[in-house]
Amino acid sequence: MKQSPDLTKAQERMKPGVITSCGFLGPDKRNLIEILLEDEALVQRLNTTHKKIAERMKELRDKGLAGLGMFEKVEDHFEVKVDSMRGRLPSPFDDRTMIDKQNTTVRNLKLNKEVTFADFNIHMIEFHGFYQGKGSLFRIDPKDLVEILEVRKNEEKPLPDYYPDGK
């Protein structure tokens, strides 16, 4: 698929030194459209959506805010810590969004795994399906998010390719 001029501009803003010192693509040399399409296909295979992933990230972040920078026990088997920093970052997609610098660490005690994400990640996933380029310092694999955060799967079952009664 050909990349749009808007995505080309966004990809330019994702380079190191434009918005952040390390950028958002890492050593990934693919066009942004290829990165987005590959992650979209993975999220579909995981039977969920970017929106559900982002909603779960926000849900756990919001529950962890009570800990004031310390790990807070939430739900049955999660610990969540939210750290706020000064400043905001603009979205590289030029959607006129400024995102607070806030990091959330979620520990899944049942799996003995944890993941750290920023509010920036939540916005990029929810509105753009962007998890950052492969090898990027802050890339979060959708599979890890779905597993560790226990993101709900789609409830709709796909229709079969045929009708069992032959019609």
Side-chain angles (χ1 to χ4, degrees), residues 17 69 149:
L149 305 182

Side-chain angles (χ1 to χ4, degrees), residues 79-103:
E79 291 180 342
V80 181
K81 178 175 76 166
V82 180
D83 293 310
S84 295
M85 292 148 262
R86 292 177 60 138
R88 306 176 93 194
L89 292 172
S91 168
F93 287 92
D94 197 27
D95 56 14
R96 294 183 168 52
T97 303
M98 295 294 290
I99 303 126
D100 291 331
K101 289 185 175 183
Q102 184 167 264
N103 291 336

Side-chain angles (χ1 to χ4, degrees), residues 137-155:
L137 190 57
F138 297 104
R139 175 175 170 80
I140 305 172
D141 191 293
K143 184 175 179 262
D144 292 337
L145 286 169
V146 169
E147 177 189 15
I148 295 168
L149 305 182
E150 298 178 2
V151 175
R152 285 180 290 114
K153 305 287 184 174
N154 288 333
E155 294 173 11

